[in-house]
Amino acid sequence: VFDEVCETTGVTLTRFMIEVAMLNPELSELPSLFSGIETACKAISNMVKRSQLTGDIGYAEGGGSINVQGEEQKTLDIMTNDVLKRALRFTGKLGVLASEEEDTPVDVEPTGKEVMFDETSKYVAVFDPLDGSSNVDAGIPTGTIFGIFDHDEECVVNDKDEGLTEAEMVCLTNTLKPGTDLIASGYCLYSSSCFFVMTVGCGVYGFTLDESIGEFVLTHPNIKIPETSKIYSFNEANLPQWDEPMRETVEKWRIGEGKSGNSFSSRYIGSMVGDVHRTLLYGGVFGYPSDKKNVNGKLRLLYEGAPMSYLMEQAGGLSTTGTKRVMEILPDEVHQRVPIVMGSKQDVQEVVDAYSAAGF
Ligand code: P6P
C-alpha cells in the first residue's frame, strides 16, 4: 500500500498523509489530525531550542507546580501541553485528550470549552507533550509522544454541571484502551535534528524537519529495527532491584554470554524518545523493567508504553513487560505505569524466555 508513496524520499509529511488517506479511505480524517500534531511539534521544537534564550526554563511557578504524577512541572511542561491541546482542538477531529500533564481525560471543542465528549469527534488522542523534560535545561534530547485511538461513536456525553452519570464514567474511561486499538502513534524528537517518526499500521516512517522550508521531509522510509544488537539501554542503577531473569540476562550480555554471543555496550540518556529513536535505527534493547521499588516500572502505559510499542512492533521489534505483550494490556487508569523491555526481536525474546524459564 505504501510502496508507491515511498519510492523516493523527499516527500513531505503533509503530502505523505494525503496520499495515505487517498490509498486508505477509512483514514481520510487523519491528514488534518496529523497536521495539527505536526504544527504543535514544530512549535514545541522552537520552544525547546529557544528556552535558554527566552527564559522558559526551570520549574513552573518557581517549583510550586506539581502535576498529577506528583512531579514538579517544568515551565515547558505546561507550555507544551497547552500548545498540543490548542493545535489538536482546532482540528475538530478530537474526542478526548489524555495527557501526562492533565489530571483526567478531558475533551475540547473548537470553541475551547472543555466538555467530556462530543459526538462529532472522530478520534481520541493520548500524549506526553514533552517527555524527558527534566533534561531540557541541560540540552539533552527530549520528545513528544502521541497515540490516536478511534472514538467510540455511541459514547456521547454532554457537558453537565452535576456529576457524571454511569454512562459518562464509561465514556471517560473511553481513553482506556489497549495498544492494539491504536490506529496511529508516533513521536517527535527534539535533538541534533527534529525527527517525526510515525506509524498508521503499515510500517514506520521517519521525517526530518527541513527548517529552510518549514516542512517535515521523509528521510527514513519503512524503518526496520535490526533483529539483534550490541546495545542495551537501561538505568543500571536499578539493576540490583530488577527481577532475577532481567538482571541475569543483562549480566550475560555484558560479558558476551547472551544468545547472540555479542558483547553489549550500554547507551542510556534518560530520555525515552531519544533512547527509543536510537534503538529503532541502530538496534538494541531499551527499557524500564519492574524492580522492587517500582513493581510496574516507571513508564506510563497509555501515552508512553503503548504508542512506542506500536512503533517498535511495526518496525519488526518486540515490546514486553517480561511476561506480557505491552500492546495487549488494558489500562485500569489513565496514568498507569507498566514495566517495559523493547527493541531488537531476538534480544527481547531472550528476556521473555528468561522470565518464562524462571516461572514468572
Ligand atoms: P530515570 C523521563 O523522565 C522518563 O519518563 C523517560 O523519558 C525516561 O526514559 C525515564 O523517565 C528515565 O527515568 O529513572 O532513569 O531517570
Side-chain angles (χ1 to χ4, degrees), residues 131-132 235 268 270-272 286 288 298-299 304:
D131 183 80
N235 181 338
Y268 187 72
S271 202
M272 183 181 197
F286 163 77
Y288 213 100
K298 175 182 182 183
L299 302 176
E304 291 172 335

Side-chain angles (χ1 to χ4, degrees), residues 5 15 44 57 97 109 117 135 140 210 213-214 231 297 317 360:
V5 179
R15 183 186 139 200
I44 292 170
I57 55 175
L97 302 168
E109 268 190 334
F117 290 85
N135 294 305
I140 305 228
D210 179 343
I213 57 171
I231 301 171
F360 276 70

Side-chain angles (χ1 to χ4, degrees), residues 178-192:
T180 45
D181 281 1
L182 281 165
I183 59 157
S185 79
Y187 59 78
C188 194
L189 172 62
Y190 312 116
S191 182
S192 51

Side-chain angles (χ1 to χ4, degrees), residues 48-342:
V48 168
K49 210 179 288 183
R50 294 185 49 78
S51 58
Q52 306 298 326
L53 304 168
T54 56
D56 293 327
I57 55 175
Y59 289 100
E61 297 163 26
S65 172
I66 307 293
N67 68 9
V68 67
Q69 323 290 346
E71 296 161 347
E72 273 195 300
Q73 283 184 305
K74 306 284 284 193
T75 304
L76 280 175
D77 281 329
I78 296 171
M79 294 168 67
T80 55
N81 191 57
D82 290 346
V83 162
L84 206 49
K85 273 175 64 178
R86 206 176 314 122
L88 292 172
R89 174 175 293 152
F90 292 99
T91 63
K93 303 279 182 274
L94 246 287
V96 172
L97 302 168
S99 158
E100 177 168 83
E101 302 306 325
E102 297 279 355
D103 291 1
T104 58
V106 294
D107 188 14
V108 288
E109 268 190 334
T111 60
K113 195 161 66 79
E114 304 252 339
V115 295
M116 295 312 292
F117 290 85
D118 65 74
E119 54 278 10
T120 59
S121 303
K122 177 113 176 70
Y123 296 109
V124 168
V126 294
F127 55 87
D128 185 353
L130 192 64
D131 183 80
S133 60
S134 57
N135 294 305
V136 77
D137 295 355
I140 305 228
T142 53
T144 297
I145 307 169
F146 66 88
I148 309 288
F149 293 97
D150 255 331
H151 185 15
D152 183 353
E153 295 308 320
E154 64 267 16
C155 185
V156 175
V157 166
N158 300 312
D159 192 16
K160 288 189 168 63
D161 297 338
E162 67 275 7
L164 295 179
T165 65
E166 186 60 32
E168 286 159 351
M169 280 314 291
V170 170
C171 280
L172 184 61
T173 57
N174 182 50
T175 57
L176 301 184
K177 296 184 170 187
T180 45
D181 281 1
L182 281 165
I183 59 157
S185 79
Y187 59 78
C188 194
L189 172 62
Y190 312 116
S191 182
S192 51
S193 293
C194 181
F195 298 97
F196 191 98
V197 177
M198 49 75 75
T199 184
V200 291
C202 299
V204 178
Y205 296 85
F207 301 77
T208 304
L209 182 60
D210 179 343
E211 292 179 348
S212 64
I213 57 171
E215 292 280 3
F216 281 106
V217 173
L218 182 65
T219 49
H220 297 73
N222 205 14
I223 297 173
K224 290 297 175 199
I225 182 171
E227 284 268 319
T228 185
S229 69
K230 301 179 178 176
I231 301 171
Y232 64 75
S233 181
F234 300 92
N235 181 338
E236 287 185 82
N238 300 326
L239 186 139
Q241 318 294 331
W242 290 350
D243 298 331
E244 192 177 326
M246 188 70 238
R247 194 174 63 246
E248 287 179 355
T249 304
V250 168
E251 284 169 346
K252 282 180 188 164
W253 285 344
R254 275 180 180 159
I255 56 177
E257 290 185 2
K259 272 225 175 76
S260 64
N262 293 337
S263 291
F264 281 60
S265 289
S266 174
R267 292 284 182 277
Y268 187 72
I269 64 170
S271 202
M272 183 181 197
V273 178
D275 280 320
V276 168
H277 189 67
R278 184 204 56 249
T279 301
L280 270 177
L281 297 187
Y282 291 4
V285 181
F286 163 77
Y288 213 100
S290 164
D291 66 46
K292 293 189 183 71
K293 285 180 298 176
N294 311 294
V295 175
N296 283 324
K298 175 182 182 183
L299 302 176
R300 309 290 174 170
L301 173 58
L302 198 57
Y303 41 77
E304 291 172 335
M308 289 304 212
S309 297
Y310 191 26
L311 288 167
M312 203 48 84
E313 290 195 359
Q314 282 290 312
L318 291 180
S319 179
T320 178
T321 64
T323 56
K324 275 182 281 184
R325 183 183 169 214
V326 173
M327 291 281 282
E328 291 176 352
I329 301 175
L330 177 64
D332 298 322
E333 61 95 17
V334 172
H335 301 294
Q336 172 175 332
R337 298 177 194 270
V338 65
I340 291 183
V341 180
M342 61 165 64

